[in-house]
Amino acid sequence: MAARQMFGQTPIPWITCYRCASDKAGTGTAEVRRLRRAAHTRRALTWSDRLWSRTGASVAACTFLCAGTRPARAGSARRLPAHSSPQRRPPMVPRGETRQQHDRRASSSSSRHRDAKQDGAYFKPLVEGDVLTSSPGQRLVVATMGVLLLLGIGKAAAQLACLPSSPIQVVVCSVVAALLGAEFADLGTGVYHFSVDNYGSAQTPIVGTQIEAFQGHHEEPWTITYRDFCNNSFPTCIATMPFLVAFEMYCKAPYVLLWAVVACAGIAFCQELHKWSHTLRSQCHPLANWLQDRGVLVSRKAHLRHHKPPFETNYCIVTGHMNPILDRSNFFGKLAGVIARLTGVRARCETGNRFEYLLER
């Protein structure tokens, strides 16, 4: 009955909360494969937006995820086979939460989204005062960043054309500089992502709003997919712009300038790449899907591992190439240990603390 009331379509035979589904989906265990075989689909256990009806019904804005089948088509009463419905299996509880906390969180979130569905506010951000649409000022910032990037590329190209080196050498060195710039952007976003995920609060100077926003993103990760491009990208554009201007004004080495332009571009628009890793494949641009499939950009499957509590891995959100290196070497764990010894403050991924007040809004 709850499923019928919430989604307004054919009842889904088994639903489980987003956190449970992400906890299973991030492991790649035999349980996940068994559920996929039982449902006869390769697309089970992904994001909560999977419940977006292909018939046009707006049913995606909830914390539930269909773990057994795709949304039912209009007029269809298709259900899972009786032997494959795992209703007798209790939902998994994320590490760091008790059963009571988990049930309370799911109940609060589901009731909040039922109210949102009635009001028509499907994807309201958790952070107070936050909006998903772009303002003229935000568009101006992003447009300015785009112009600066084009100027930087033009200046680097002009400097490269004046080099006495052979064309092949110039091309090879330029490709290497661009690749290093992309990987530096990936590393930089990972370190920054780790810091705002694990330290500070909404009252932290300068970055307090972003810290709160990242915690809200952990609670309702699908909201980012409904942000306008400029709304999503302007904070990182503002942070990156001074460095880009400095490089363009004072850097005389063409390869260093090319490295800086690519790195600044990756950092400036990292949130849009992050957004693509949350967007359904059918709703994402084919070029973005192609780049994700070839490993050029961070993929949905790779970033899903980050959204498994306690959110302690896979922080890099540009190419994702640095994630295996940093996670296998326990770079962030060691960094958290150094910070704890110097300041006495432990990372949130160790303490399990969350911004509970966001869920009450």
Side-chain angles (χ1 to χ4, degrees):
M1 177 64 70
R4 183 180 292 108
Q5 291 175 348
M6 184 177 301
F7 306 129
Q9 62 174 9
T10 304
I12 297 172
W14 177 50
I15 54 177
T16 185
C17 79
Y18 169 78
R19 296 187 177 280
C20 292
S22 64
D23 187 63
K24 290 179 182 178
T27 60
T29 59
E31 174 65 9
V32 176
R33 292 192 293 272
R34 186 188 68 80
L35 289 174
R36 285 176 172 172
R37 286 197 301 269
H40 302 291
T41 177
R42 298 171 57 191
R43 303 181 68 183
L45 290 176
T46 53
W47 299 105
S48 56
D49 294 303
R50 180 64 65 204
L51 287 178
W52 187 274
S53 173
R54 297 182 181 180
T55 63
S58 299
V59 298
C62 62
T63 55
F64 291 99
L65 177 71
C66 177
T69 185
R70 301 176 184 177
R73 297 181 183 273
S76 172
R78 182 168 61 91
R79 294 170 175 264
L80 280 177
H83 67 274
S84 65
S85 178
Q87 293 180 351
R88 293 187 299 273
R89 298 179 62 86
M92 297 175 63
V93 177
R95 186 173 62 181
E97 280 190 344
T98 64
R99 172 72 65 181
Q100 290 76 16
Q101 290 173 332
H102 173 76
D103 293 342
R104 187 163 55 252
R105 187 187 303 276
S107 175
S108 172
S109 187
S110 62
S111 62
R112 182 175 68 255
H113 283 291
R114 278 196 297 270
D115 296 339
K117 183 177 188 301
Q118 294 173 358
D119 298 338
Y122 291 106
F123 310 108
K124 183 179 179 180
L126 290 178
V127 177
E128 188 173 358
D130 191 10
V131 295
L132 302 179
T133 56
S134 300
S135 66
Q138 293 170 351
R139 294 189 181 96
L140 178 62
V141 168
V142 175
T144 303
M145 187 65 187
V147 171
L148 289 174
L149 289 172
L150 292 176
L151 290 176
I153 294 174
K155 183 178 179 180
Q159 292 178 347
L160 290 172
C162 297
L163 291 178
S165 306
S166 64
I168 296 178
Q169 183 179 356
V170 170
V171 171
V172 171
C173 292
S174 299
V175 170
V176 171
L179 291 176
L180 291 176
E183 298 308 326
F184 178 83
D186 197 43
L187 174 63
T189 58
V191 173
Y192 184 76
H193 192 178
F194 165 80
S195 64
V196 296
D197 266 10
N198 291 282
Y199 300 99
S201 65
Q203 288 71 42
T204 301
I206 301 177
V207 296
T209 303
Q210 295 186 42
I211 292 173
E212 189 178 34
F214 269 92
Q215 294 304 307
H217 174 65
H218 284 172
E219 303 300 340
E220 295 187 350
W222 57 86
T223 304
I224 192 176
T225 64
Y226 299 95
R227 287 191 180 277
D228 288 348
F229 170 71
C230 294
N231 177 280
N232 196 31
S233 301
F234 91 96
T236 45
C237 287
I238 292 177
T240 312
M241 202 176 295
F243 298 95
L244 179 61
V245 171
F247 272 103
E248 292 182 359
M249 290 180 63
Y250 302 109
C251 183
K252 304 301 181 183
Y255 297 120
V256 176
L257 179 58
L258 180 59
W259 169 86
V261 170
V262 174
C264 289
I267 296 173
F269 299 110
C270 66
Q271 278 295 86
E272 192 66 14
L273 306 181
H274 181 198
K275 170 183 172 180
W276 293 350
S277 69
H278 283 277
T279 306
L280 288 176
R281 186 179 183 86
S282 59
Q283 298 175 356
C284 208
H285 194 278
L287 178 60
N289 292 329
W290 187 86
L291 292 173
Q292 288 180 344
D293 294 340
R294 271 67 183 176
V296 178
L297 301 178
V298 63
S299 65
R300 299 171 182 84
K301 182 178 180 181
H303 186 64
L304 176 60
R305 301 189 187 101
H306 171 71
H307 283 270
K308 176 183 176 183
F311 313 103
E312 59 184 353
T313 61
N314 293 273
Y315 289 104
C316 303
I317 55 176
V318 177
T319 65
H321 298 162
M322 298 300 296
N323 282 324
I325 299 173
L326 298 175
D327 293 340
R328 289 170 187 168
S329 62
N330 194 29
F331 173 82
F332 292 115
K334 295 175 182 176
L335 181 59
V338 172
I339 295 174
R341 286 194 297 272
L342 294 177
T343 66
V345 178
R346 296 177 60 197
R348 271 190 285 268
C349 62
E350 296 178 355
T351 63
N353 294 334
R354 291 176 181 166
F355 290 16
E356 298 290 343
Y357 67 89
L358 290 176
L359 298 176
E360 299 174 0
R361 292 179 177 173

